[in-house]
Amino acid sequence: MRTQVVIIGGGPAGLLLGQLLQRQGIDTVLLERHSREYVLARIRAGVLEAGLVDLLHQAGVGERMQRNGLRHEEIYLAHSNRGFRIDFRQLCDSAVMVYGQTELTLDLYQARDAMNATMLHQVDQVEIHGADTDKPRVSFIHDGREQNFECDFIAGCDGFHGVSRNSVPADQRTLFERVYPLGWLGVLSRTPPVSDELIYASHARGFALCSMRSPGLSRYYIQVALEDSVQQWPDEAFWRELKRRIPHDAAESIVSGDSIEKSIAPLRSFVAEPMRWGRLFLCGDAAHIVPPTGAKGLNLAASDVYYLWRALSQYYEDGDEQDIDNYSAMALSRVWKAERFSWSMTNLLHRFPEQSQFDLRMQQAQLDYLESSRAAQTALAENYLGLPY
Ligand code: FAD
Ligand code: PHB
C-alpha cells in the first residue's frame, strides 16, 4: 500500500497535521496505538495560545471551540495569601483560549471521519524503515495482520513514549534533559471553577493551580512528591491541601466535589535535536517535553505542525525543498524559547527539596519584581500568550 505521508500518532499533533494536509489534497494515513476512546479519556492540556486558535480555524475545526471555549485575558499569580494579575489585554492586547485537549481532539477526529481519511487504531509494533532513503516505509500489525505503507515522508507525532524518536540512530541525535524532583497531582471535578481566571499559587507547602474546562468543570493541580501515588491522595486530602495553598478568599469559596479523574504527571524538560532525520520528521511531544507550568506543550506541538505543514505543502506544490531543509532549525528555535519559559515558571513557583534560604529569597525577589514592573509582566505575558510562529 502507498500514501504520501504516514503519520504515526493520533494525538493533537498527528491529527492536526493530517487535517491540514488532507485539506490541501495531500494523502495521509494515520496510525494510532490506542483506541479512540482511550485517547479521548486522557485529560491533559487546557490553554490554547492565539496562534493555535488561528491554526484550528485555518484547519476548518474552530467552530465548536469558538462557541464553547473560554477567552481568558489574564491570570492571577498568588503567593503568601496575596497576589496580583497579569493582564494580557492591557500588556499585549491579546488573550488565550481555555478549551480542553480532549475537546480539540474530538473535533479533529470528527473532521477526519468526515473526510474519509484513513486512520487505524490499535496498531501494534510500528516500525520505520529506510527513513534515510528515498523509499521510506512503515510496517505495523493491525487486526492481527502485518501491513506496510510506502510513502514520501513520515511524521513522528507519537508522543514522548513513541517509536519515532528512537528510530533515529543514536549517533545522529543529541538529547537534552532536566528531570524535576516533583510531580503534579491533577483532579477534574464537576464543580464550578473557583475563579473566572486561572490562579497560579506559590506556597511554602508547594505549588497549586486552579484551572477549568467549562463553567461547570474545574481542573485543579497541586505539586506533590515524585514518589507519591494517586492512592495516597483521596479526594478529601486533595481538597484540604489545595485550600491550604491558595489565597484564603479562594479557599473559602471553592466548591469541592468528587473527582472524576485524578492522575500524577512527572515534570520534565526534554529536547531531541535535530527534529528531522532524512524523510522522518519529529513533531510535538515526540521531540520535546516541557513542564506544564507555562501551558506550552500542546501549543508547541501546534507550532511544529504549522512549520511541517508549510514545508510539505511547498514541496508538493512546486518541488521546493527549502522549508523541509529548514524545518528542524525553525521548529527548534521556537521550542527552546518555550523550554526556557516553562523552566523559569517552574523554578519560580515550585518548592524544591534542596532549596536553600538564598534560593527562596531569589524566588521572592522575582515575584516582587514581577508584581512591581510592567516590563517584567509584559515579558511574562508575551511568552504565556505564545511567541509568533
Ligand atoms: P500526544 O498527545 O502524547 O499524542 C501521541 C499519540 O501517539 C498518542 O495518542 C499515543 O497513543 C500515540 N502513540 C504512541 N506511540 C505510538 C506508536 N508506537 N504507534 C502509534 N501511535 C503511538 N500543554 C499545553 O499546551 N497547555 C496545557 O495547559 C497543558 N497542560 C498539561 C497538563 C498535563 C497534566 C499534562 C500531562 C500535559 C499538559 N500539556 C499541556 C501538554 C500536552 O498535553 C502535550 O504536549 C500534547 O498532548 C502533545 O501532543 P502530541 O500529539 O505531540 O503527543
Ligand atoms: C490545565 O487546565 O490543565 C492547565 C492550565 C494551565 C497550565 C497547565 C495546565 O499551566
Side-chain angles (χ1 to χ4, degrees):
M1 290 185 288
R2 206 191 135 72
T3 184
Q4 288 173 298
V5 182
V6 171
I7 299 173
I8 307 175
L15 287 162
L16 181 57
L17 179 67
Q19 174 71 9
L20 289 161
L21 292 174
Q22 289 285 150
R23 274 165 69 91
Q24 289 197 306
I26 299 167
D27 191 45
T28 66
V29 164
L30 194 147
L31 308 176
E32 165 57 47
R33 179 167 42 194
H34 291 292
S35 68
R36 180 181 294 216
E37 295 68 38
Y38 179 94
V39 174
L40 288 174
R42 278 191 314 222
I43 306 297
R44 288 170 140 198
V47 177
L48 316 187
E49 295 172 354
L52 172 51
V53 169
D54 288 348
L55 194 56
L56 292 171
H57 284 305
Q58 279 187 65
V61 288
E63 199 196 312
R64 210 165 61 94
M65 171 198 61
Q66 202 58 44
R67 217 171 339 116
N68 298 341
L70 305 169
R71 186 181 153 89
H72 278 225
E73 295 184 345
E74 57 190 15
I75 53 170
Y76 190 77
L77 291 189
H79 58 115
S80 326
N81 191 35
R82 51 188 300 279
F84 57 95
R85 286 190 171 75
I86 306 284
D87 187 329
F88 300 143
R89 202 175 52 79
Q90 255 189 34
L91 295 162
C92 296
D93 196 22
S94 189
V96 291
M97 180 79 91
V98 169
Y99 189 64
Q101 180 170 328
T102 46
E103 300 301 320
L104 185 156
T105 308
L106 178 64
D107 296 342
L108 286 163
Y109 271 140
Q110 287 175 347
R112 195 164 177 94
D113 288 345
M115 288 190 301
N116 266 324
T118 311
M119 170 165 45
L120 303 178
H121 279 276
Q122 291 172 304
V123 299
D124 210 6
Q125 294 176 37
V126 173
E127 279 181 42
I128 294 171
H129 310 270
D132 57 341
T133 71
D134 287 348
K135 286 197 172 34
R137 176 172 65 88
V138 178
S139 65
F140 55 95
I141 311 271
H142 185 243
D143 273 347
R145 282 191 308 124
E146 178 166 347
Q147 302 192 27
N148 275 276
F149 272 100
E150 289 175 2
C151 56
D152 301 328
F153 300 103
I154 301 164
C157 304
D158 47 354
F160 186 63
H161 301 287
V163 294
S164 299
R165 188 180 61 253
N166 291 325
S167 303
V168 179
D171 62 355
Q172 304 282 319
R173 57 172 204 200
T174 310
L175 309 180
F176 303 84
E177 184 170 49
R178 162 150 309 181
V179 177
Y180 302 85
L182 32 108
W184 275 21
L185 170 63
V187 158
L188 188 70
S189 82
R190 248 183 255 294
T191 50
V194 63
S195 150
D196 287 342
E197 65 218 335
L198 266 62
I199 302 176
Y200 287 82
S202 157
H203 191 275
R205 298 180 62 86
F207 172 75
L209 170 62
C210 305
S211 182
M212 68 196 71
R213 291 291 175 273
S214 69
L217 199 55
S218 301
R219 180 70 166 161
Y220 296 107
Y221 297 96
I222 55 171
Q223 170 190 342
V224 294
L226 201 51
E227 315 74 62
D228 280 12
S229 68
V230 167
Q231 291 70 36
Q232 280 169 265
W233 285 98
D235 287 359
E236 315 80 69
F238 174 83
W239 292 113
R240 201 179 323 118
E241 189 58 32
L242 175 68
K243 287 184 200 173
R244 294 172 85 160
R245 298 184 188 187
I246 59 179
H248 297 333
D249 53 347
E252 274 162 25
S253 61
I254 202 165
V255 182
S256 54
D258 293 342
S259 62
I260 52 177
E261 195 267 356
K262 193 189 281 168
S263 51
I264 294 183
L267 266 59
R268 179 195 303 271
S269 298
F270 175 87
V271 180
E273 287 190 0
M275 288 170 59
R276 172 196 180 188
W277 182 58
R279 289 175 170 259
L280 166 67
F281 301 91
L282 301 179
C283 236
D285 279 15
H288 41 74
I289 296 287
V290 286
T293 329
K296 285 285 160 260
L298 173 61
N299 292 299
L300 266 190
S303 53
D304 292 352
V305 164
Y306 174 81
Y307 295 129
L308 187 54
W309 166 53
R310 295 295 301 269
L312 293 176
S313 332
Q314 179 115 58
Y315 173 85
Y316 283 112
E317 250 164 50
D318 54 19
D320 184 348
E321 295 193 16
Q322 196 181 336
D323 283 357
I324 285 186
D325 290 338
N326 287 339
Y327 167 71
S328 177
M330 285 182 73
L332 282 168
S333 158
R334 193 170 189 279
V335 164
W336 277 113
K337 290 176 198 130
E339 289 282 346
R340 187 209 64 80
F341 177 66
S342 306
W343 162 86
S344 74
M345 285 284 279
T346 303
N347 287 335
L348 174 66
L349 296 172
H350 292 76
R351 292 299 154 122
F352 293 85
E354 307 290 315
Q355 237 167 353
S356 66
Q357 288 303 314
F358 179 83
D359 298 333
L360 290 170
R361 284 288 194 277
M362 288 296 103
Q363 279 186 333
Q364 187 60 51
Q366 177 72 21
L367 280 166
D368 290 347
Y369 173 53
L370 254 181
E371 181 165 9
S372 62
S373 160
R374 188 180 168 99
Q377 291 190 8
T378 306
L380 191 153
E382 185 180 44
N383 283 279
Y384 194 92
L385 290 162
L387 298 176
Y389 290 6

